[in-house]
Amino acid sequence: MNAPIIDTPDFTLRPFQASDASAVASGIVEWDVIRMLTTPPYPFELHDAETYIAQNADTPWMWVIDIEGTAAGSVGIVRHLGYWLSKLHWGRGVMTRAAGLAVDAFFQRDDRDHIDSGYLFDNPASERVLTKIGFKKTGRSMPRANSRGGEVLHIDMVLSRADWGRRRAE
């Protein structure tokens, strides 16, 4: 089952396509992007983007953020809500809207009662995204961040189905 296509005036959330590899590689490889992610290999190259796309092409809760026909980022819920956005598109509210749409689609079609997420300690933009859509802090962890070459402080967060339902009703 592929992720549902979600159109907005500013972007489209859609499933990955093999043709997205070059844009994904050039977006994630930006230092200000990859340093805020824990799992991508470092350095990140075109073959890594191709692998990432192949692994996520049929994931039901994984989307490309398509802006004007280009893969500008991605948002998805596999084990947790994760996302990245090319630096060119920062500061316009794209990720907050995309993450909110992903959460909404997930809770409408999946029966899990919560979504985990979080951010690296020095990523206030990601903290704002998660807080705006209702995530609450639950603790701290120390995952490995490949781009940083070791463990880094991660602020763990959770969003319950009940809290999301209350936010949607507002």
Side-chain angles (χ1 to χ4, degrees), residues 39-94:
T39 57
Y42 185 77
F44 192 84
E45 299 176 355
L46 181 60
H47 68 87
D48 298 310
E50 292 166 344
T51 299
Y52 174 71
I53 288 167
Q55 290 172 341
N56 291 294
D58 296 323
T59 303
W61 309 118
M62 181 67 83
W63 293 266
V64 164
I65 302 169
D66 183 313
I67 299 176
E68 297 177 356
T70 299
S74 73
V75 60
I77 303 164
V78 181
R79 292 178 303 279
H80 62 272
L81 172 68
Y83 49 83
W84 67 271
L85 186 65
S86 173
K87 192 172 178 181
L88 176 66
H89 301 287
W90 287 6
R92 300 187 336 206
V94 170

Side-chain angles (χ1 to χ4, degrees), residues 4 10 21 29-30 36 40 70 116 121 124 131 146 149 163:
D10 300 320
V29 77
E30 297 171 341
M36 296 302 178
T70 299
D116 295 310
F121 78 99
T131 301
N146 293 322
D163 285 346

